[in-house]
Amino acid sequence: MSLRLDDIVAKHRGVRVLGPICIDLEQGTWLSIVGANGAGKSTLLRILAGAEAASDGTCHFQGQTVSELRNAERAKRFAYLAQAAPTQFPFTVREYVLLGALPHEWSSETRRNAFFDVTKSMSLEGLFDRSVVQLSGGEFQRVRLARALLQIWLNREASVLILDEPLTSLDWKHQEQLLELLGQLVSEGLTVVDATHQFLLMPSHDDQVLVLSPRGEALAMGKPSLTITSELVQNAFELDEDSTFRARLRF
């Protein structure tokens, strides 16, 4: 297995808020994490990214313990998009996206070519000299995505892209564009782990889904079309028996 979580537990002030979580993923897998607000989705992603330490358990990637990786090495293998990252510093779009190249020792030509490939994939042409503080919410989200994508763009078969609510602020066109791109990158060997509230109504893939309970426990994991049921959704989101939400499921 390429990415493995062994009995991951997170506690806040001594109270367990997540886990135990066990995951085994092959490289080139797309895992979506689904659950109610406060179920621990973002906490799990932060632990994966090394932004938060687990209270118990270990995370391994390609045979190495993630917590033991130096920050510089982790940054070459893991790219993380948090839910929100407002900035008051007037980076240009070009400068902000190129932050994703900092962990790498690329030549100028390699960096330039990767930059143009990534920004084209996010439809950012024409915005390079704009200040990020002047962008709309959707434009800035695409810039943030481009920064994360650049970080793993040239090493996708040995990297993990971690996305917390990546479709936030994107219009339908750009949501579809992003989902198609992620599907392509996964087929080329990239491992993607994302958390989203939109997965049940707009499934982006049929690879792997992890469903968390409101208490942060793993209710189910597997191929979405075989795992997601109305009963599971009812338990995960504590829905009433007569909820109309279940009738809208796409699986």
Side-chain angles (χ1 to χ4, degrees), residues 234 239-244 246:
Q234 182 178 346
L239 300 174
D240 296 331
E241 287 283 351
D242 58 352
S243 171
T244 59
R246 292 186 300 167

Side-chain angles (χ1 to χ4, degrees), residues 122-134:
M122 286 289 97
S123 299
L124 294 174
E125 305 99 319
L127 296 179
F128 295 163
D129 296 322
R130 289 269 303 276
S131 169
V132 295
V133 299
Q134 297 174 337

